[in-house]
Amino acid sequence: MATTATSTGPAAAEGTALTWLTEWIKGHRQAATYAGVVVVLAAGLFGWNLLSTKTAERNAGSQLEQGRLALDSKNYPLAASVLAQVVENYSGTHAAQEGAILLAQVRLAQGQTQQAIDVLQRYAPKVDKDFRAQAYGLLGAAYENALKPKDAGEAYEQAAAAAQYPFLRAQFLADAGRAWIAARDSAKALVAYRTIVQQLDSTSAVGEAKVRLGELTKGAATNVAK
């Protein structure tokens, strides 16, 4: 007696699924059309967003370079104008993050300390890790210019925490120590300097840290510094 072969396995499952999909589309042409339109629109929006992002980064980078050149040539009014536009018009781009730091540098160069603080307070918490240490370090310098040593010490410590290289971390901790001394908080200054001596002793900041420890403890830090 002849037997009828029955297909099983993945091939049969795929055939069944394809048949079901074909029949569903035949019975739901309008829904299928809408689904296709949605897919096409989603793909188009994704491509448009990708292209827009690349275009924005390119345009922002071009303007950023103009602002940097103006800063290098000490044309501070032009630098401030261009960099402010980069920060405002291209928010979210890497160029805008770097532009905020450069804009703060321009404000400091112009003697506009509070404007520099305003810019850095707004953008330092948002920038990528590649810019965070620099942003908080500059904020610390701005606070020192404004005679706010406590705020400066806190900003320098945030810069040290974000620093990606030991020598930068040591430098920011040294800056923090100096600010804490000015703020008459010797306990925090001791912590900053001891961290340099105990954890970052291969950096150039260790010499100053040992001297400051000796001054703060009136020689009692000699054993710690060795």
Side-chain angles (χ1 to χ4, degrees):
M1 179 184 296
T3 58
T4 302
T6 303
S7 298
T8 60
E14 290 178 6
T16 301
L18 183 59
T19 300
W20 178 87
L21 180 60
T22 301
E23 292 300 324
W24 186 89
I25 291 174
K26 288 180 180 179
H28 303 80
R29 291 186 182 278
Q30 189 174 30
T33 300
Y34 290 157
V37 170
V38 169
V39 171
V40 171
L41 285 176
L45 286 173
F46 176 79
W48 182 84
N49 285 332
L50 185 61
L51 180 61
S52 297
T53 299
K54 289 183 177 180
T55 301
E57 286 284 2
R58 183 169 58 251
N59 293 340
S62 177
Q63 279 193 248
L64 178 67
E65 187 59 28
Q66 294 177 28
R68 185 185 287 109
L69 289 173
L71 174 59
D72 291 342
S73 63
K74 302 186 185 306
N75 187 344
Y76 299 133
L78 177 60
S81 176
V82 173
L83 292 169
Q85 290 179 31
V86 173
V87 172
E88 182 69 24
N89 297 334
Y90 299 100
S91 177
T93 65
H94 282 79
Q97 295 181 36
E98 188 175 353
I101 295 172
L102 292 177
L103 179 59
Q105 291 178 345
V106 171
R107 297 305 188 197
L108 287 175
Q110 291 177 303
Q112 299 172 346
T113 301
Q114 187 55 52
Q115 288 91 326
I117 291 173
D118 291 342
V119 170
L120 292 166
Q121 281 180 330
R122 188 180 309 118
Y123 290 101
K126 302 177 183 179
V127 298
D128 292 343
K129 62 180 182 179
D130 294 335
F131 302 107
R132 195 167 300 146
Q134 185 179 359
Y136 276 112
L138 195 58
L139 180 59
Y143 278 133
E144 281 194 288
N145 283 356
L147 303 179
K148 297 180 178 179
K150 180 179 180 294
D151 292 331
E154 292 174 350
Y156 283 134
E157 287 194 348
Q158 287 178 292
Q164 300 183 51
Y165 302 100
F167 77 92
L168 278 179
R169 185 182 177 217
Q171 183 55 59
F172 287 132
L173 284 172
D175 292 335
R178 180 183 65 250
W180 289 128
I181 290 174
R184 299 186 178 182
D185 193 333
S186 58
K188 289 185 177 180
L190 282 169
V191 171
Y193 289 128
R194 281 175 174 153
T195 301
I196 297 172
V197 171
Q198 295 171 358
Q199 300 179 18
L200 302 162
D201 59 341
S202 63
T203 63
S204 60
V206 71
E208 179 189 351
K210 289 179 179 180
V211 171
R212 300 295 173 237
L213 279 174
E215 293 173 349
L216 288 168
T217 59
K218 294 180 173 57
T222 303
N223 292 331
V224 176
K226 288 183 179 179

